[in-house]
Amino acid sequence: LLASIMCRPSSPTATHASAHGGAAGGTKDGRHAPAGGLWRLFGAEYDLESFVKMHPGGEVAIRLAQGTADASDLFASYHTVGEGRAWITLEAFRVSSHPPKPPTPSAFAADLRAMVSEHFGDTGRAQHKATALHQAACLAFFALQIACWYGWLCGSYASLVGLVLFHWLTAVNVSHDASHFAFSTNHRANEALVYASLPLMYAPLTWYHQHVVAHHTLCNNVAGDVDLQHFAPMKLHPEDKRSNPHGGHTLLDYAKVLLVSVHLVFGVPLFNSGMLPFDWYAEHYSPAVLLLPGLKASFTRRMLNLLSPALYVGFIAYPLLSFPTWHQKLVFVLLPIMGASLVFLLFTQVSHIQPEAQLPANQIEPDFHKRQARTAIDYSTDSTFWAYMSGGLNVQSLHHCLPYVNSCHYRALYPKFEIVCGRHGIEIAKRRGILDAALTAMRHVWTLNDSQRKLLFNEAISG
């Protein structure tokens, strides 16, 4: 197995190269491109391989943009476009003959940067990362999660609810922020802390594509946002008019709400490794979640990508081998999986699968940052409790505009963010609370799939 992964490119590599404009090859001046491919931003090509180790955000951060067709919006999420140190640095590594063509400067983005500078002041780069108090809270969540894992190992039914709860609180407040390089000023710490999502929430290395790249830069874009494919062939967006090559809905499609953990932690890494058929996966989930070319070029990261399914197998195997009754075996396997899937969907999806967040006008908005603010709804924006429970995802409009700011600062920033949005004609969509948001999201999905659902139930009744 190790030899096959080392010596042959698996089908995802070829598929990804085709979908994202190629990976390795030659540069415009005839030099050999790095294994993960070139960096393509704003219509120009760059060879940043010699700069990777010097990148202030760390190697993983810069390799997320490597080998993709266009990393312009990813760059804009974390840097100033058209000016500043990062923009000037880029030019030294340009290999294309033509210069970049940056978009029209965004007054909204400039005001957001000014808001962040005014809020934190000239107090150093650590100020918008996790505070010491927030880190202490996260450490407490992790300690409680470990206690619940011990209870799970001992067969304690009481530990099951706490296990899902504290695993989620650790994952969303630590792993999620770390995947945006917003937890620590130390990039190695961020890269390590992403693994706090294991073993039940999502695979860290493919999460970068799923969330940081595809979801954040193409939010609610049917062709690019992989989060719209959680229940394929069920539709999560009114613009998704694609026909399902495998027929209509089945009852299993409705059960996927309980199996998201299996898909993200176990299936996605194995499909990307070639150990499961990637072509089948890409046919059923399009766009598919990928291991990005810049990460896939590393043998170490290809091996780390298999850590997620390995831990998942261990999690399933332990109750099956250790507990005496089939009732206990199934409960200790299925309840954490289903609980993790439901909690993940509740907090990550209800803010985006909403009518206002999926208006056609949102996708044709030329200003990237305005598009980010308009493709989400917010709820309980002044609540510390929901800020921790959701890891800041209760204010997704702010999070999508400022992913590099740690979620512990969102509650204080939000009133200022609302003022900036109002100044630029952006009306933030809101709900009273998470229950209200969940109900409107479910009604929206129910309506989108009305015809296929009726057909399925009619067939079930007649059959």
Side-chain angles (χ1 to χ4, degrees):
L1 171 63
L2 293 178
S4 68
I5 294 174
M6 289 177 64
C7 299
R8 65 172 177 84
S10 59
S11 56
T13 304
T15 304
H16 201 140
S18 173
H20 293 274
T27 63
K28 296 290 184 181
D29 59 6
R31 291 183 297 153
H32 185 70
L38 296 172
W39 284 257
R40 299 178 177 88
L41 304 113
F42 306 101
E45 292 183 328
Y46 304 85
D47 184 354
L48 295 166
E49 191 65 34
S50 60
F51 178 70
V52 162
K53 299 297 183 183
M54 297 181 285
H55 183 241
E59 181 177 352
V60 168
I62 195 171
R63 289 204 185 278
L64 299 188
Q66 185 180 14
T68 63
D70 184 5
S72 303
D73 287 343
L74 182 61
F75 180 91
S77 295
Y78 296 91
H79 306 89
T80 303
V81 176
E83 60 182 4
R85 185 176 64 175
W87 187 260
I88 294 171
T89 301
L90 268 180
E91 188 60 21
F93 298 92
R94 178 162 59 87
V95 295
S96 59
S97 57
H98 52 276
K101 298 177 181 178
T104 302
S106 168
F108 179 54
D111 272 4
L112 289 175
R113 291 194 299 272
M115 177 194 76
V116 171
S117 296
E118 181 275 331
H119 181 82
F120 292 106
D122 187 20
T123 51
R125 60 190 291 259
Q127 295 308 304
H128 62 278
K129 307 299 184 181
T131 63
L133 179 62
H134 186 69
Q135 290 177 4
C138 292
L139 185 61
F141 296 150
F142 180 68
L144 289 167
Q145 181 195 166
I146 294 300
C148 291
W149 276 115
Y150 178 76
W152 178 83
L153 289 169
C154 295
S156 167
Y157 286 91
S159 69
L160 293 175
V161 174
L163 176 61
V164 172
L165 173 63
F166 293 114
H167 187 9
W168 164 252
L169 286 171
T170 305
V172 73
N173 286 286
V174 179
S175 173
H176 171 250
D177 276 337
S179 71
H180 286 292
F181 323 105
F183 193 85
S184 171
T185 55
N186 186 312
H187 65 82
R188 291 183 179 86
N190 286 323
E191 292 167 12
L193 290 171
V194 176
Y195 288 82
S197 65
L198 295 175
L200 294 178
M201 294 299 170
Y202 49 81
L205 290 177
T206 49
W207 173 255
Y208 285 116
H209 172 250
Q210 175 189 343
H211 184 72
V212 180
V213 176
H215 175 63
H216 264 258
T217 66
L218 294 165
C219 186
N220 270 328
N221 181 304
V222 172
D225 189 350
V226 299
D227 277 358
L228 297 175
Q229 301 303 314
H230 279 303
F231 312 123
M234 289 176 62
K235 307 300 184 187
L236 299 182
H237 196 293
E239 298 298 314
D240 190 354
K241 306 296 186 183
R242 295 171 295 181
S243 60
N244 176 27
H246 303 283
H249 294 181
T250 67
L251 290 176
L252 179 61
D253 297 323
Y254 292 84
K256 288 177 182 176
V257 69
L258 302 173
L259 300 173
V260 172
S261 171
V262 180
H263 173 211
L264 298 183
V265 184
F266 184 77
V268 169
L270 293 182
F271 285 120
N272 276 274
S273 72
M275 295 173 68
L276 292 177
F278 184 83
D279 291 342
W280 180 93
Y281 175 57
E283 185 179 16
H284 286 75
Y285 293 87
S286 178
V289 182
L290 302 170
L291 184 61
L292 291 162
L295 302 180
K296 195 177 184 69
S298 163
F299 169 73
T300 300
R301 293 193 179 94
R302 293 201 301 276
M303 293 299 98
L304 283 173
N305 193 45
L306 297 177
L307 176 64
S308 304
L311 287 175
Y312 212 73
V313 169
F315 160 77
I316 293 172
Y318 180 82
L320 296 180
L321 297 175
S322 302
F323 296 145
T325 67
W326 274 105
H327 171 268
Q328 192 175 25
K329 294 175 192 288
L330 293 177
V331 166
F332 277 75
V333 170
L334 294 180
L335 281 189
I337 288 176
M338 294 189 294
S341 299
L342 287 172
V343 170
F344 175 87
L345 288 175
L346 176 65
F347 286 106
T348 64
Q349 302 306 304
V350 298
S351 293
H352 297 293
I353 312 301
Q354 300 280 354
E356 306 98 313
Q358 296 183 341
L359 293 172
N362 295 342
Q363 292 303 319
I364 61 175
E365 167 60 61
D367 188 316
F368 170 72
H369 287 86
K370 286 185 177 181
R371 194 161 66 246
Q372 296 298 301
R374 286 174 169 152
T375 50
I377 63 99
D378 299 337
Y379 58 88
S380 304
T381 58
D382 60 348
S383 169
T384 301
F385 174 79
W386 288 111
Y388 270 108
M389 282 297 296
S390 68
L393 301 184
N394 61 319
V395 288
Q396 287 269 29
S397 61
L398 188 157
H399 169 59
H400 272 245
C401 288
L402 303 173
Y404 56 87
V405 175
N406 187 271
S407 60
C408 68
H409 302 291
Y410 288 173
R411 185 167 172 264
L413 276 170
Y414 196 81
K416 300 177 182 180
F417 176 70
E418 285 187 294
I419 292 172
V420 173
C421 287
R423 192 183 303 149
H424 291 271
I426 300 170
E427 184 178 353
I428 303 172
K430 291 185 179 181
R431 297 290 185 270
R432 292 187 300 274
I434 191 167
L435 179 60
D436 186 27
L439 289 173
T440 55
M442 287 189 291
R443 281 197 294 266
H444 184 52
V445 175
W446 189 263
T447 302
L448 290 176
N449 294 277
D450 187 63
S451 60
Q452 283 292 330
R453 186 185 66 258
K454 288 179 178 178
L455 180 62
L456 171 64
F457 291 146
N458 287 337
E459 289 177 350
I461 293 172
S462 62

